[in-house]
Amino acid sequence: MTDTDKTIESPCSGRRPRVVISGGGTGGHIFPALSIADALRSRLNADILFVGADNRMEMTRVPDAGYRIIGLPVAGFDRKKPWRNFSVLLKLFKSLRLSRKIIRDFKPDIAIGVGGYASGPTLKAAQRAGIPTLIQEQNSYAGVTNKLLGEKAKRICVAYDGMDRFFPASGIVKTGNPIRKNLLNYSKSTKEARESFGLNPERPTLLVVGGSLGALTLNESLEAGIRKLADKGIQVIWQTGKNFGDRAPVAAKGLKGIVVTPFITDMAAAYKAADLVIGRAGAGSISELQALGKPVILVPSPNVAEDHQTHNARALSDHGAAVLITDAEARERLVDEALSLIADKPRLKAMSEEISKMGITDSDSRIADEVCEILNIRTR
């Protein structure tokens, strides 16, 4: 049944349901938030307001997608230099005050938190006002803020099993993490995808992705080993991020089959072209790899709260769905492990099968189902 076949029976006083979606800071938070918003707009014609953090990427990405957003002056705590956190606390108190005003003025029927700095103050204000809340917990290890909010949340939508360690079991629903639809709808062949990067369609291809800023460990590992990969006939799509300067082009100078770029505009093509992916272990990236069935070597970032990327990676590696290499080991092991794995086609196939078992491709629709249930809105 399509959305156009459904009729909406809304208890929201004959008006469009009002939804606040809060969070952001990284693409891993923003892309799922926008997917949820699109699903709710399509399903319910919902009136949606985003709440983000001032000067973070959501303040441009969300309006570009056609949604309103209000920014809060909230910032993350500096765990390495705690004396700097006085100003962070002041921003938090101001954000809590502004969040209360946003909830009071907009009068949402539900508030959804997707993680990120702004999510905590917004959902806390909603809960204090008696507004039902839904948390979308992306990681396999819940953060402190979500654990606190989860006690009063109507629903906690998760991507991993065993999350009753952190949240009341009665509120947990496994929905997966929403991913970008263009990744699932990519229709070109592996041959065409490789040719779009100027690569030989017949040669094995490695994709290395470290995020928009780049991952220094991944970049330096590739910098040291790029000639070894090229000598073995491995093609590489190497996304360096914007902070690695000209070091990667210098390292790859004169080598055939090496594509170096600060940013990949067509990630669907990059994934399709790759036999093997190397990347960090952010929840959003892992969900994409699961949905696409891509074998991956995960190098968790050590600079994240609660070391949640390591927990994410282990949730895959413990089931043979990925290879985990620690950040400390990567410079020594990463390139050799990639060479060994990309040459082992049976192992690549087995990893692809295992990671595919974890993939959920309709997460946005599942989360929309939970919103409808909370608001007692029936679709048929």
Side-chain angles (χ1 to χ4, degrees):
M1 182 182 294
T2 66
D3 287 329
T4 56
D5 295 324
K6 299 173 182 178
T7 60
I8 306 300
E9 297 178 1
S10 172
C12 300
S13 302
R15 58 171 171 78
R16 299 163 63 194
R18 292 186 184 134
V19 181
V20 161
I21 301 178
S22 185
T26 67
H29 291 125
I30 296 167
F31 294 135
L34 289 172
S35 293
I36 295 168
D38 289 346
L40 292 173
R41 186 164 62 180
S42 174
R43 180 91 64 91
L44 304 175
N45 190 28
D47 184 5
I48 297 169
L49 175 67
F50 277 80
V51 180
D54 279 339
N55 302 316
R56 304 293 291 189
M57 61 190 297
E58 59 263 29
M59 299 307 294
T60 56
R61 294 289 181 87
V62 169
D64 286 348
Y67 294 99
R68 294 172 293 159
I69 186 168
I70 298 173
L72 301 178
V74 66
F77 284 95
D78 191 330
R79 291 173 172 81
K80 295 181 179 179
K81 299 175 182 177
W83 61 88
R84 293 184 175 179
N85 287 327
F86 180 73
S87 63
V88 175
L89 286 170
L90 290 177
K91 291 178 180 179
L92 177 59
F93 291 137
K94 185 176 181 180
S95 295
L96 285 166
R97 188 171 65 252
L98 288 172
S99 295
R100 288 195 293 270
K101 184 178 187 305
I102 291 168
I103 296 298
R104 187 170 60 248
D105 292 348
F106 186 63
K107 297 180 177 62
D109 298 295
I110 189 170
I112 299 171
V114 297
Y117 300 142
S119 187
T122 307
L123 263 66
K124 187 68 175 176
Q127 289 179 347
R128 286 179 173 174
I131 305 299
T133 57
L134 180 149
I135 294 171
Q136 201 256 318
E137 173 55 67
Q138 300 177 1
N139 295 295
S140 64
Y141 194 91
V144 173
T145 301
N146 274 356
K147 283 189 280 188
L148 293 172
L149 294 167
E151 292 295 323
K152 294 184 178 180
K154 287 287 186 181
R155 202 77 84 246
I156 305 101
C157 296
V158 302
Y160 295 90
D161 295 324
M163 297 302 287
D164 53 355
R165 294 174 295 162
F166 310 109
F167 302 112
S170 60
I172 295 173
V173 179
K174 188 175 180 181
T175 60
N177 292 323
I179 66 171
R180 293 170 280 185
K181 290 298 184 186
N182 68 308
L183 300 180
L184 297 172
N185 297 333
Y186 188 78
S187 60
K188 294 183 179 178
S189 66
T190 300
K191 175 179 181 292
E192 291 171 313
R194 289 177 182 169
E195 288 176 341
S196 72
F197 286 95
L199 297 174
N200 186 327
E202 306 301 326
R203 286 173 56 188
T205 303
L206 173 68
L207 170 63
V208 183
V209 187
S212 59
L213 298 179
L216 184 62
T217 299
L218 301 189
N219 283 336
E220 290 188 344
S221 299
L222 265 290
E223 183 182 40
I226 193 68
R227 291 187 177 274
K228 183 186 289 189
L229 289 163
D231 289 345
K232 295 291 186 179
I234 307 300
Q235 299 181 136
V236 181
I237 302 171
W238 180 5
Q239 188 250 303
T240 64
K242 66 180 184 180
N243 290 342
F244 203 55
D246 62 355
R247 290 172 61 177
V250 169
K253 187 175 181 180
L255 301 180
K256 291 185 178 181
I258 309 298
V259 176
V260 177
T261 177
F263 183 75
I264 297 173
T265 56
D266 191 350
M267 276 304 301
Y271 279 135
K272 187 70 174 183
D275 296 291
L276 175 66
V277 179
I278 292 175
R280 291 300 200 186
S285 297
I286 286 179
S287 294
E288 292 176 352
L289 294 162
Q290 290 171 331
L292 298 172
K294 282 294 171 181
V296 61
I297 299 175
L298 296 170
V299 185
S301 170
N303 304 312
V304 294
E306 286 88 31
D307 195 26
H308 66 251
Q309 285 202 8
T310 297
H311 294 282
N312 291 347
R314 283 181 179 155
L316 274 67
S317 64
D318 286 351
H319 293 87
V323 172
L324 191 163
I325 296 179
T326 68
D327 192 81
E329 298 174 316
R331 289 174 177 83
E332 181 179 344
R333 288 187 52 202
L334 184 57
V335 169
D336 287 339
E337 186 71 32
L339 282 168
S340 173
L341 187 52
I342 208 166
D344 190 343
K345 290 189 179 352
R347 190 177 176 202
L348 284 178
K349 183 181 179 189
M351 288 174 62
S352 177
E353 291 172 352
E354 289 302 317
I355 198 170
S356 292
K357 293 175 184 177
M358 300 177 173
I360 297 176
T361 58
D362 62 345
S363 298
D364 53 352
S365 181
R366 295 187 187 200
I367 293 170
D369 288 342
E370 298 305 317
V371 172
C372 290
E373 184 174 321
I374 292 169
L375 298 182
N376 193 29
I377 297 176
R378 298 178 183 178
T379 60
R380 63 174 185 264

